[in-house]
Amino acid sequence: TEKERKEARTHAKPVNFGLLFGMSAPGFVRYAKKEYGIDITEETAALWIAKFFGRYSKIRDYHRETIAFTREHGFIDSPLGRRRRLPEINSDDMYLRGEAERQAVNHPIQSPSSDVVLLAHNTLFDMQSLADMSFDHFRLVLFVHDELVFEVREDLDISKYVKRVKEAMENPPLERDFGIKMLVPLATS
């Protein structure tokens, strides 16, 4: 039914986002509650984890390989070459080591979205695509992971700003600057 599909989708989000980055069962229980309002037991979390990695076993291989590389080198690179140094990955402190392991796994997956947004920002301002627009009326006020937040004077028609920002966000210079051709187009909302 539609209700069952919606509930399954709600439960799938923390599974996909949490387990992809290497959460343990207790961490997954806390994450599902905090981020999605889902109450599950550690036993249920352990079952979901086992099913997830039973189906997507290559993800565990990725976790092991990424953590091993980071332990050996003390850093991990994003697909666009941004380096994250993680000396704590060899810490004797279990908490610090575990946090560094999760960051090592997370960095190559999460960083491309913020890299793309930063490229869009640079496109907008370095290429002066907004040069004809007064920065007294339009200015970047916040850069949050995968979004740019602008301040625009209320009495202005923002459509010309939105069009240019959307164009920059959906067409970052990945191929020109990094030799990366996107197989799936980027979309903004």
Side-chain angles (χ1 to χ4, degrees):
T1 67
E2 183 61 27
K3 181 182 177 192
E4 290 169 327
R5 188 189 68 73
K6 190 173 183 176
E7 185 176 312
R9 181 174 161 76
T10 298
H11 289 164
K13 284 183 179 182
V15 170
N16 285 321
F17 293 124
L19 302 186
L20 187 60
F21 302 124
M23 284 187 185
S24 64
F28 181 64
V29 168
R30 289 188 300 275
Y31 175 74
K33 175 66 175 172
K34 180 181 176 196
E35 297 297 324
Y36 297 95
I38 299 171
D39 286 311
I40 58 172
T41 64
E42 279 192 35
E43 293 76 27
T44 299
L47 178 65
W48 288 4
I49 289 169
K51 284 184 177 185
F52 181 83
F53 288 114
R55 176 146 188 176
Y56 304 107
S57 60
K58 295 290 185 190
I59 294 173
R60 279 241 164 99
D61 295 342
Y62 164 77
H63 288 177
R64 280 191 291 277
E65 291 164 10
T66 301
I67 290 167
F69 176 91
T70 308
R71 275 208 177 97
E72 181 179 344
H73 300 284
F75 68 85
I76 190 74
D77 289 334
S78 77
L80 298 184
R82 188 161 36 106
R83 183 160 289 177
R84 176 100 188 243
R85 297 191 184 284
L86 295 164
E88 300 84 8
I89 199 150
N90 292 312
S91 174
D92 292 333
D93 182 316
M94 191 171 74
Y95 176 79
L96 290 176
R97 186 176 59 250
E99 185 64 26
E101 289 172 355
R102 285 184 291 281
Q103 290 173 11
V105 167
N106 180 299
H107 182 69
I109 297 168
Q110 289 283 94
S111 66
S113 61
S114 59
D115 291 344
V116 163
V117 173
L118 188 57
L119 287 169
H121 170 268
N122 291 344
T123 297
L124 288 167
F125 292 96
D126 288 348
M127 306 287 291
Q128 297 184 341
S129 63
L130 299 173
D132 60 318
M133 300 178 198
S134 169
F135 287 100
D136 293 337
H137 304 100
F138 174 86
R139 64 184 171 142
L140 179 68
V141 293
L142 196 59
F143 171 45
V144 181
H145 178 61
D146 61 355
E147 61 186 77
L148 296 172
V149 179
F150 293 91
E151 186 175 76
V152 182
R153 210 173 71 199
E154 284 185 42
D155 62 328
L156 295 179
D157 173 16
I158 66 167
S159 62
K160 65 181 176 181
Y161 301 101
V162 170
K163 183 179 179 186
R164 290 185 182 178
V165 171
K166 184 175 176 60
E167 175 69 22
M169 296 279 284
E170 292 180 349
N171 299 288
L174 293 171
E175 191 167 5
R176 183 194 75 198
D177 294 354
F178 298 96
I180 296 172
K181 184 168 176 65
M182 297 291 293
L183 299 177
V184 177
L186 296 174
T188 60
S189 57

